[in-house]
Amino acid sequence: MTTEIANIKTGEIVSLDKWQVMRQQAETLVKSGFLPVAINTPEKALAIMQAGIELGVPTMTAFQTINIISGKISVSPQLMLALARKTGELENFSIDKNDRQATVKVKRKGQDEVTTTFTIEMASRMGLATKDNWKKQPAIMLQWRAVAENLRITFCDAIAGLYSYDEMGAEMDAEGNFIQTTTTRGSVAMPKALPPIPTTEIIETKEN
């Protein structure tokens, strides 16, 4: 079962047989209680597994870096950056940040450099600046906002136009991980990300 799932290629149209294997794997993982609390049905697990296939992300990495928020797929900003690097077309990437603003510059091969800036004033207008992590580590939170915005412009094909957890209105820590806001396993509970992993390294290793 594990081998068959691992052999599914990025963006591949999954056959009925493989879909059934994925369904069995999803049921087993949900029953294990190992997945984030909001992934409480095989259908939700399958949605994330399918998103992972389309993005070229291994199954367990997908469960750690992809979540469903308000019925929509969202991803961690680290995964966005990892997917951009995976293309081999990220020519230059730089961040200049402080507690007032973060500026991200991205140069993709064959394209002009794109600069995006996110400021604390923008965060205040959006009601973000009063959140705990925004008050404790504003520079890093500003950084992730600027990164996500930039990559949707420069690598929209690689990240499929997806938004980060924070952009979807969910709580996100300074590492870009999804924060659980309830302790129940009910249908409205938000998933807690599993312990951080070196996403870029995992994706690149799979590719090689």
Side-chain angles (χ1 to χ4, degrees), residues 8-16 18-19 50 53-54:
I8 298 176
K9 299 177 181 178
T10 302
E12 176 183 347
I13 297 176
V14 179
S15 68
L16 179 58
K18 288 183 178 179
W19 183 258
Q50 180 61 35
I53 290 171
E54 294 178 6

Side-chain angles (χ1 to χ4, degrees), residues 19-142:
W19 183 258
Q20 290 175 340
V21 171
M22 289 171 62
R23 173 80 189 198
Q24 292 172 0
Q25 187 181 44
E27 290 175 348
T28 299
L29 289 169
V30 169
K31 289 178 181 177
S32 74
F34 180 67
L35 301 182
V37 293
I39 308 176
N40 52 9
T41 68
E43 290 76 16
K44 292 177 182 179
L46 277 168
I48 291 177
M49 291 165 70
Q50 180 61 35
I53 290 171
E54 294 178 6
L55 293 171
V57 179
T59 300
M60 296 312 296
T61 303
F63 285 130
Q64 297 183 51
T65 58
I66 301 174
N67 279 288
I68 301 173
I69 301 173
S70 300
K72 295 182 179 180
I73 296 292
S74 60
V75 299
S76 72
Q78 294 99 322
L79 179 58
M80 289 184 174
L81 185 55
L83 292 171
R85 293 186 185 281
K86 184 184 175 186
T87 66
E89 297 182 7
L90 183 56
E91 196 170 273
N92 184 59
F93 174 82
S94 66
I95 300 173
D96 181 17
K97 66 179 184 294
N98 55 48
D99 288 350
R100 301 299 304 174
Q101 68 175 40
T103 296
V104 172
K105 295 182 179 181
V106 174
K107 173 71 172 67
R108 184 171 182 171
K109 290 180 180 178
Q111 298 183 7
D112 293 334
E113 184 177 76
V114 174
T115 300
T116 53
T117 298
F118 199 83
T119 67
I120 197 66
E121 287 77 20
M122 295 166 67
S124 295
R125 289 197 298 271
M126 298 173 71
L128 300 171
T130 57
K131 292 185 176 182
D132 189 52
N133 283 317
W134 279 86
K135 290 189 291 185
K136 291 179 178 178
Q137 303 185 73
I140 298 178
M141 301 304 288
L142 289 167

